[in-house]
Amino acid sequence: MENAMRIEPTWLATVESESGVKVSACYQCKKCTVGCPLTFAMDIYPDQVIRLVQMGQRERVLACNTVWVCSGCETCTTRCPNAVDVAGIMDYLKETAIRSGMEIPQPKTYVFHRAFLNEIRRRGRVFEAGLVGTYLRESGELKAKLEDKTLGEELALGWAMFKKGRMRLFPKGIKGKTEIREILK
Ligand code: SF4
Ligand code: SF4
């Protein structure tokens, strides 16, 4: 509750200047939240995240699980009548929470997020088999699946995807990796 009341009046200006998103344009119509497919798993709704940023409630926003539940589908951004890039703000808040050393409320999602970005940095695109392997190892899921003997289900899924040409055995890079690394700095 203490965090909920703490106000940082300059934070809105910081968010707008660092993210390039005009959060102050939001007039709380809630069209973003109504379209979001993941509100059932969120502790505060997307329109509330935007409102709390406007109010300078930095710690409350950076500690919420909504930012980590967000899949980046961009439905909210598409629906906003004021061109507020809500999905872009969710990404910005993820990175800000990490940089600030906040405790991440969804540690496994954070492992996935980090593994995904590392794949992009390394190859310019995601190598799915590498991503799954890193996630299983670093999230603790590999150990859990070995213990409860469900790893075979993952391997069967991977094999089915491979047969349909949806998963490669070896990674493939793209041209322009250096530029992509620059964007992700
Ligand atoms: S980008 Fe995130 S907040 Fe926006 S609609 Fe998709 S899941 Fe919801
Ligand atoms: S749709 Fe846009 S204007 Fe409406 S509440 Fe969401 S961010 Fe604000």
Side-chain angles (χ1 to χ4, degrees):
M1 181 56 84
E2 192 188 331
N3 284 348
M5 302 306 292
R6 192 177 299 152
I7 305 286
E8 292 188 27
T10 59
W11 193 46
L12 171 61
T14 304
V15 172
E16 290 195 334
S17 115
E18 290 182 351
S19 69
V21 178
K22 198 161 171 48
V23 177
S24 50
C26 168
Y27 57 17
Q28 289 290 289
C29 70
K30 305 189 192 310
K31 278 188 78 173
C32 50
T33 293
V34 171
C36 175
L38 293 175
T39 49
F40 68 90
M42 293 173 169
D43 54 354
I44 50 179
Y45 294 140
D47 68 279
Q48 293 173 320
V49 169
I50 297 295
R51 185 68 183 131
L52 290 169
V53 172
Q54 288 179 334
M55 293 168 69
Q57 292 208 13
R58 182 175 180 279
E59 290 193 27
R60 170 128 189 246
V61 173
L62 295 184
C64 75
N65 78 15
T66 296
V67 168
W68 295 95
V69 167
C70 169
S71 66
C73 69
E74 301 205 355
T75 306
C76 48
T77 298
T78 309
R79 288 172 61 91
C80 179
N82 289 326
V84 178
D85 181 4
V86 183
I89 283 295
M90 295 292 181
D91 263 348
Y92 167 82
L93 294 171
K94 277 192 187 84
E95 293 305 320
T96 305
I98 294 165
R99 278 201 311 273
S100 309
M102 301 286 295
E103 187 179 338
I104 307 298
Q106 304 252 336
K108 288 185 182 177
T109 310
Y110 173 46
V111 169
F112 185 87
H113 174 78
R114 199 177 54 204
F116 186 92
L117 288 182
N118 283 341
E119 280 289 322
I120 303 277
R121 275 191 200 99
R122 193 175 304 135
R123 304 189 175 86
R125 63 184 295 178
V126 170
F127 171 48
E128 288 85 357
L131 174 65
V132 171
T134 306
Y135 172 74
L136 286 174
R137 207 172 50 250
E138 295 186 3
S139 66
E141 284 287 312
L142 180 61
K143 186 167 177 281
K145 285 179 182 299
L146 282 169
E147 282 169 2
D148 66 15
K149 299 185 176 27
T150 56
L151 187 61
E153 292 169 19
E154 298 294 329
L155 294 173
L157 180 61
W159 176 242
M161 288 177 74
F162 171 70
K163 282 199 295 186
K164 288 188 174 175
R166 304 303 296 269
M167 190 180 273
R168 294 173 183 275
L169 279 186
F170 300 102
K172 204 173 166 191
I174 60 159
K175 288 181 187 164
K177 281 185 274 191
T178 314
E179 287 84 348
I180 289 192
R181 268 184 216 124
E182 281 299 311
I183 293 168
L184 289 176
K185 259 187 185 171

